[in-house]
């Protein structure tokens, strides 16, 4: 790395050191501000072009915005500096042997040829080092990069590189976890002899060792899990069961550790290691529960959930959570069963995530305050202790009941996304009065939308009420008012819609003589997109902007992907007609909007703050990629879950089409606040190949570490983050190309740059 000196930023008089650039970029990444983090890395590299940390920070920022190819190119010089090419040294060794053998050869030409080859080999190693400037942490990070690359590609070479890096990490640092990871990779490579040898070394390191007293619970769990894996590799299943049972008995273990153990066990299974059935009951993923329930009766209504029934409902919720071993929860926060669920989860020490259907003050006025000051205090405490509070919309309620249904879609989608990340499937727990029909966004409505009945748990609110006849009265529970005049959206003017804003990058650089070609470009775009067979509910254009509205998120995602693919193809096909290939910036959003007849144009149009929010996302995204808000991704996920269930019920195959990758929190254009953003892309064959057999090496394959290729970066940059947390960074390497990538105007568009 370059020495820490002082640089003056041209935009201001205040000097900034190298460490300040690094700390600023690191802080922005931790906050999820990936776009801003990249800008900082780009600017910092103007003054410190050899700074590895800024290069890696920039690659992380790029990858987390979905710009995977750009991130891969940026990171390549760092990997080149860390991964030593042994090829020239092996050539020198062979040339030296040949020169010695031919030194006294009677054939002078052959002897001179051997010496010439030796001289050339010496030149190739001049200035090179055989040993990399990398420590165990760096090797470990690179090993994880190659492991993720293998999980994505299924290529044997990635797996071989992964094992080599874990072996180097184990040799350099002696960490048992690196040893067991190298052993697991060896099993997958069918090298069982090395796997057993490594497992034996790990077992010897851990079996008789005392756990340091300052170790955390998670540290103790990791030690036991590593020992258990070594025992499985050595064929001692009974000992492994005892070890994992011991690990399970530890209190306060974060569920991420358990998920990691599950991943390792799955890899061992793939490698042919016998796994005792008992481990299935010992190593379980955390249970995710999404909740819906009846609110407390309003004064003069009911009885459905009278205040006197609170203790009974609380007890039933606690019992069901115990049965499910709930560890992660999602819920709204109305007074009544919602808050009872949240409080029961918090008492368990579980994680709670709250989704608010509309503005905070309106929610209190509509769903909390009528219960009295005690419930309002409990509501405020619940939001303070929740792990996250997400707003389906931050706008006013305005009496539109369908906002509750939209919030339910967000609950459904967010819980499903989280459960998939944790290698499980969510449960729906409902407190329901079993009344016919369903209020919009109520418990019955949510149950109607839930696709997996086997993962549905219902607490019979009416049954609990019948156990207290003194609470029922002479007339019994009143039927809910379900008369909304037909469709609950009809007549309200406010509807839930999916929206797309799209901008054609490069349009402003076109000259008059290019306009005919541009019009041809638009005609061909229309023809290409129409092939997907999706007809928007509304579409409008002005200049280089396109605005599309649809009822559902799934067809909108397909439409956006098709549009991007068509434009990308036309960039090549029309290269001789336009000065530069045109490309797109696309943003997707879902939310409540007002649908009305435009008073001036006389056609249907859409209005509201969510139109503005969708529009403000598009200008600050990366060209050539599709980005979506958290609301859109949640609705898309809920729709995909329903389609999957329908396909299964009909005996049909369901193929997931889209992948949503978390980007972070993005500051929107024109100071329109912040928005959680995902990168949306099609699921590829590589994404579907994780369960495929490991590819055998080609006949001419050389598994030597010298021929390592740069790994896929998109889903593995968290592994590289461990490299940047240490001061033990590798030195040297060419970073000019990396700096050019961050600074080049033609390679990547960056907002504000």
């Amino acid at each position: 790395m370059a020495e820490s000196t002082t640089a003056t930023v041209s935009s201001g008089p205040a000097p900034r050191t190298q460490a300040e650039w690094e700390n600023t970029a690191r802080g922005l990444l931790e906050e999820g501000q990936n776009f801003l983090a990249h800008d900082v890395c780009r600017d910092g590299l103007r003054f410190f072009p050899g700074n590895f940390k800024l290069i890696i920070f920039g690659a992380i920022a790029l990858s987390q915005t979905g710009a995977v190819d750009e991130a891969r190119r940026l990171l390549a010089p760092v990997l080149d500096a860390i991964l030593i090419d042994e090829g020239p040294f092996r050539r020198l060794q062979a040339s030296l042997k040949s020169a010695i053998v031919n030194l006294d050869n009677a054939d002078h030409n052959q002897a001179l040829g051997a010496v010439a080859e030796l001289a050339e080999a010496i030149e190739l190693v001049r200035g090179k080092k055989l040993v990399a400037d990398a420590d165990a942490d760096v090797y470990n990070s690179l090993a994880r990069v190659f492991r993720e690359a293998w999980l994505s590609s299924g290529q044997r070479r990635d797996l071989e590189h992964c094992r080599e890096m874990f072996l180097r990490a184990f040799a350099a640092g002696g960490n048992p976890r690196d040893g067991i990871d190298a052993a697991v990779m060896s099993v997958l490579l069918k090298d069982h002899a090395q796997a057993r040898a490594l497992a034996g070394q790990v077992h010897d390191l851990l079996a008789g060792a005392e756990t340091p007293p300052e170790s955390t619970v998670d540290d103790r769990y990791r030690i036991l899990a590593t020992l258990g894996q070594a025992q499985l590799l050595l064929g001692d299943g009974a000992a492994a069961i005892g070890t994992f049972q011991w690990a399970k008995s530890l209190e306060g273990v974060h569920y991420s550790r358990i998920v990691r153990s599950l991943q390792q066990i799955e890899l061992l299974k793939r490698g042919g290691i016998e796994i005792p059935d008992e481990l299935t009951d010992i190593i379980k993923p955390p249970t995710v529960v999404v909740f819906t329930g009846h609110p407390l009766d309003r004064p003069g209504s009911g009885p459905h959930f009278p205040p006197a029934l609170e203790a009974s409902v609380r007890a039933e919720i606690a019992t069901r959570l115990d049965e499910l071993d709930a560890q992660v929860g999602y819920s709204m926060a109305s007074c009544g069963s919602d808050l009872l669920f949240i409080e029961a989860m918090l008492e368990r020490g579980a994680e709670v995530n709250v989704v608010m259907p509309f503005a905070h003050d309106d929610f209190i006025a509509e769903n909390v305050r009528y219960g009295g000051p005690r419930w309002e205090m409990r509501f405020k405490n619940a939001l303070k202790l929740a792990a996250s509070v997400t707003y389906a919309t931050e706008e006013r309620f305005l009496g539109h009941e369908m906002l509750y249904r939209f919030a339910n879609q967000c609950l459904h989608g967010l819980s499903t996304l989280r459960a998939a990340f944790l290698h499980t499937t969510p449960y729906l727990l409902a407190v329901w009065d079993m009344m016919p029909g369903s209020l919009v966004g109520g418990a019955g409505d949510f149950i109607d939308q839930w696709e997996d009945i086997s993962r549905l748990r219902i607490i019979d609110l009416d049954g609990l009420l019948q156990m207290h006849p003194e609470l029922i009265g002479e007339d019994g529970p009143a039927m809910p008012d379900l008369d909304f005049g037909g469709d609950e959206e009809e007549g309200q003017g406010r509807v839930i819609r999916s929206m797309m804003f799209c901008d054609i990058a490069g349009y402003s650089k076109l000259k008059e003589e290019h306009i005919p070609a541009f019009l041809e470009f638009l005609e061909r775009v229309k023809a290409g997109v129409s092939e997907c067979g999706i007809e928007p509910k509304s579409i409008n254009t002005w200049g280089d902007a396109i605005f599309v509205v649809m009822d559902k998120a799934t067809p909108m995602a397909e439409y956006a992907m098709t549009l991007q693919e068509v434009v990308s193809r036309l960039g090549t096909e029309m290269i001789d007609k336009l000065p530069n290939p045109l490309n797109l910036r696309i943003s997707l959003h879902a939310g409540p909007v007002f649908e009305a007849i435009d008073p001036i144009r006389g056609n249907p149009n859409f209005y509201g703050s969510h139109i503005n929010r969708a529009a403000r996302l598009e200008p600050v995204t990366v060209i050539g990629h599709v980005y979506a808000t958290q609301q859109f991704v949640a609705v898309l996920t809920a729709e995909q879950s329903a389609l999957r269930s329908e396909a299964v019920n009909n005996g049909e195959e369901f193929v997931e089409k889209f992948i949503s990758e978390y980007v972070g929190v993005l500051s929107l254009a024109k100071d329109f606040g912040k928005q959680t953003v995902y990168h949306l892309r099609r699921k590829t064959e590589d994404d579907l190949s994780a369960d495929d057999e490991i590819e055998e090496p080609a006949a001419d394959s050389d598994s030597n570490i010298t021929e390592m290729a740069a790994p896929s970066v998109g889903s593995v940059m968290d592994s590289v983050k461990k490299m940047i947390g240490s001061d033990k960074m590798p030195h040297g390497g060419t970073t000019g190309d990396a700096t050019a990538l961050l600074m080049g105007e033609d390679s990547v568009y960056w907002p504000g740059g």
Side-chain angles (χ1 to χ4, degrees):
M1 287 186 297
E3 294 296 322
S4 180
T5 59
T6 300
T8 301
V9 183
S10 58
S11 59
R16 299 182 69 178
T17 67
Q18 177 175 276
E20 287 173 331
W21 285 108
E22 296 168 359
N23 292 335
T24 301
R26 188 199 308 273
L28 289 169
L29 285 174
E30 291 174 353
E31 294 173 7
Q33 295 279 9
N34 295 298
F35 292 94
L36 293 179
H38 175 270
D39 289 345
V40 169
C41 294
R42 177 198 59 195
D43 294 340
L45 283 169
R46 297 179 190 273
F47 301 100
F48 306 103
N51 186 290
F52 271 25
K53 286 187 179 181
L54 287 176
I55 294 171
I56 295 173
F57 280 141
I60 292 172
L62 280 166
S63 68
Q64 292 183 346
T65 62
V68 177
D69 291 337
E70 294 90 335
R72 184 184 292 114
R73 293 200 304 271
L74 181 61
L75 191 61
V78 178
L79 295 177
D80 288 342
I82 294 172
L83 304 179
I84 297 301
D85 184 0
E86 296 178 359
F89 293 93
R90 295 185 183 279
R91 178 178 174 179
L92 176 60
Q93 182 184 35
S95 299
L96 181 59
K97 287 181 179 179
S98 176
I100 292 174
V101 169
N102 288 283
L103 190 61
D104 296 325
N105 195 315
D107 187 340
H108 295 293
N109 290 332
Q110 187 170 346
L112 289 174
V115 172
E117 165 63 22
L118 175 60
E120 185 176 343
I122 291 174
E123 286 300 316
L124 289 176
V125 301
R126 192 179 300 278
K128 295 183 180 293
K129 296 180 295 183
L130 185 57
V131 180
D133 288 324
D135 58 16
D137 289 338
V138 172
Y139 285 133
N140 176 278
S141 298
L142 290 172
R144 294 178 185 278
V145 168
F146 284 117
R147 179 168 59 193
E148 296 298 330
W150 168 71
L151 289 171
S152 175
S153 69
Q155 295 183 9
R156 182 183 178 94
R157 177 164 296 185
D158 287 332
L159 191 58
E160 291 171 339
H161 297 340
C162 174
R163 177 177 65 172
E164 177 65 22
M165 291 294 98
F166 274 130
L167 286 172
R168 292 190 183 191
F170 188 40
N175 191 320
R177 289 199 301 276
D178 291 328
I180 206 65
D181 282 327
V184 172
M185 298 303 110
S186 295
V187 165
L188 292 166
L189 287 166
K190 310 301 183 185
D191 189 350
H192 292 279
Q194 185 175 46
R196 284 192 297 270
L198 288 166
Q201 294 179 52
V202 171
H203 184 276
D204 292 343
L205 285 171
L206 295 177
E210 293 186 4
T211 304
E214 67 274 10
S215 297
T216 65
V217 173
D218 283 343
D219 288 337
R220 291 197 290 273
Y221 182 90
R222 281 196 295 261
I223 291 171
L224 290 171
T226 302
L227 177 59
Q229 293 165 43
Q231 291 164 338
L232 289 173
L233 284 163
L234 293 171
D236 194 347
I241 290 172
T243 299
F244 278 108
Q245 190 70 55
W246 184 7
K248 181 183 178 181
S249 68
L250 297 174
E251 295 185 1
V253 177
H254 195 271
Y255 51 74
S256 62
R257 307 301 175 212
I258 300 171
V259 171
R260 172 66 181 140
S261 294
L262 283 169
Q263 293 170 337
Q264 288 287 86
I265 296 298
E266 287 300 317
L267 291 177
L268 290 175
K269 284 182 180 179
R270 291 177 66 175
I273 299 298
E274 183 177 351
I275 306 298
D277 293 337
E278 293 88 335
L279 284 184
T280 303
D281 295 325
I282 297 174
I283 311 173
K284 294 182 178 180
T287 303
V288 178
V289 177
V290 58
F291 181 83
T292 183
H294 204 291
L296 200 70
D297 284 345
R298 297 175 183 274
S301 67
H304 299 284
F305 187 172
L309 205 60
E310 177 184 332
S312 298
V313 175
R314 174 191 291 276
E316 282 294 318
I317 290 175
T319 298
R320 297 304 180 93
L321 295 180
D322 284 340
E323 293 171 353
L324 293 172
D325 190 23
Q327 293 169 272
V328 180
Y330 286 81
S331 175
M332 281 192 263
S334 299
C335 71
S337 54
D338 283 354
L339 284 175
L340 292 177
F341 168 79
I342 292 172
E343 290 170 351
M345 289 290 286
L346 293 172
E347 288 172 3
R348 295 173 54 81
E351 174 191 313
V352 176
N353 302 277
V354 175
V355 171
M356 298 283 285
F358 42 80
H360 179 273
D361 290 344
D362 278 13
F363 186 83
I364 293 177
E366 292 289 330
N367 299 283
V368 181
R369 187 165 293 145
Y370 74 87
R374 185 172 68 95
W375 282 101
E376 191 167 346
M377 180 182 66
R378 292 163 74 173
F379 166 80
K380 293 178 180 178
N381 190 56
L383 263 62
K384 182 174 67 175
L385 297 177
S388 70
V389 178
T390 302
Y391 285 81
T393 176
E394 297 181 37
E395 278 62 52
R396 300 287 305 276
F397 174 46
L398 304 179
H400 295 148
E401 302 288 336
M402 52 75 184
L403 292 181
Y404 293 110
R405 176 172 287 172
F406 179 51
N408 281 345
Q409 285 185 298
C410 291
L411 276 170
H412 192 165
L414 292 175
S415 62
T416 301
L417 282 169
R418 184 67 178 285
F421 176 77
L422 297 173
H423 298 269
T424 185
T425 305
Y427 285 88
L428 174 62
L429 176 61
V431 173
W432 186 34
D433 59 9
M434 303 292 185
M435 287 290 182
S438 58
L439 294 168
V440 176
D445 191 27
F446 203 145
I447 292 169
D448 287 343
Q449 304 302 318
W450 191 255
E451 70 277 1
D452 189 353
I453 301 301
S454 68
R455 302 183 79 84
L456 170 64
R457 301 292 184 270
I458 296 176
I459 295 173
D460 184 357
L461 184 60
D462 184 61
L464 293 177
L465 185 62
Q466 295 299 327
M467 296 172 62
H468 299 272
E470 73 279 5
L471 301 177
I472 299 176
E474 296 181 359
D475 298 330
M479 293 293 292
D481 181 10
L482 302 177
D483 184 12
F484 295 103
D487 189 338
E488 63 272 8
E489 290 187 347
E490 195 175 297
Q492 293 190 357
R494 208 175 186 191
V495 294
I496 304 300
R497 293 290 182 259
S498 293
M499 296 153 272
M500 182 192 81
F501 268 92
C502 172
D503 174 75
I504 301 175
Y507 172 80
S508 61
K509 296 182 179 180
L510 297 180
K511 298 180 180 179
E512 287 293 299
E513 60 266 30
H514 301 132
I515 297 304
F518 176 71
L519 294 175
E520 178 189 348
F521 168 82
L522 292 180
E523 287 286 349
R524 295 175 68 173
V525 167
K526 178 183 177 181
V529 174
S530 64
E531 294 179 2
C532 71
I534 296 172
E535 188 67 30
K537 186 177 185 69
S538 174
I539 187 167
N540 200 0
T541 66
W542 54 95
D544 62 338
I546 304 173
F547 174 50
V548 178
V549 178
M550 295 188 192
D551 291 338
K552 300 287 186 179
T554 299
M556 180 65 87
E558 179 64 34
Y559 187 89
M561 291 295 166
T562 303
L563 179 62
Q564 180 63 58
E565 291 157 1
V566 170
V567 170
S568 178
R569 185 182 74 242
L570 290 178
T572 301
E573 294 178 358
M574 299 187 67
I575 194 170
D576 58 333
K577 296 184 178 182
L578 293 168
N580 294 295
L582 299 177
N583 213 325
L584 302 178
R585 285 189 293 268
I586 296 177
S587 65
L588 303 175
H589 181 53
V593 298
F594 286 88
E595 181 174 358
I597 299 298
D598 189 316
I600 296 177
R601 300 179 60 194
N603 63 323
N605 209 343
F606 300 86
Y607 306 87
S609 62
H610 281 269
I611 301 294
N612 296 331
R613 180 165 290 269
R616 297 298 180 260
L617 173 61
E618 173 265 310
V620 291
T621 55
V622 180
I623 288 175
H625 299 275
V626 178
Y627 294 91
T629 64
Q630 187 173 49
Q631 291 92 330
F632 182 91
V633 169
V635 173
L636 176 65
T637 303
E639 290 179 5
Q640 291 291 295
S641 295
L643 290 172
R644 182 186 301 105
S645 177
E646 182 181 354
V648 171
N649 292 336
N650 294 332
E652 302 170 351
E653 182 182 3
F654 178 80
V655 178
E656 192 81 41
K657 290 185 176 181
F658 310 107
I659 287 181
S660 305
E661 298 169 322
Y662 176 73
V663 171
V665 180
L666 176 62
S667 294
L668 301 179
K670 298 186 179 180
D671 297 323
F672 206 77
K674 297 181 179 181
Q675 175 69 55
T676 301
V677 178
Y678 287 75
H679 176 244
L680 189 67
R681 63 178 177 85
R682 288 195 190 276
K683 180 167 281 191
T684 65
E685 290 298 324
D686 286 343
D687 296 312
L688 299 172
S689 66
D691 295 329
D692 294 344
E693 292 295 325
I694 302 170
E695 293 182 7
E696 292 300 323
D700 60 349
S701 172
D702 181 4
S703 62
N704 192 294
I705 198 70
T706 62
E707 294 189 9
M708 286 185 177
S712 173
V713 185
S715 62
V716 300
M717 291 309 302
D718 284 342
S719 303
V720 185
K721 287 182 180 178
K722 294 186 178 180
M723 296 165 56
I724 59 184
S726 169
D727 291 332
K728 299 178 180 179
M729 290 296 297
H731 298 267
T734 303
T735 58
D737 291 341
T739 307
L741 177 60
L742 280 171
M743 296 174 61
E745 296 180 356
D746 296 331
S747 56
V748 187
Y749 169 81
W750 290 103

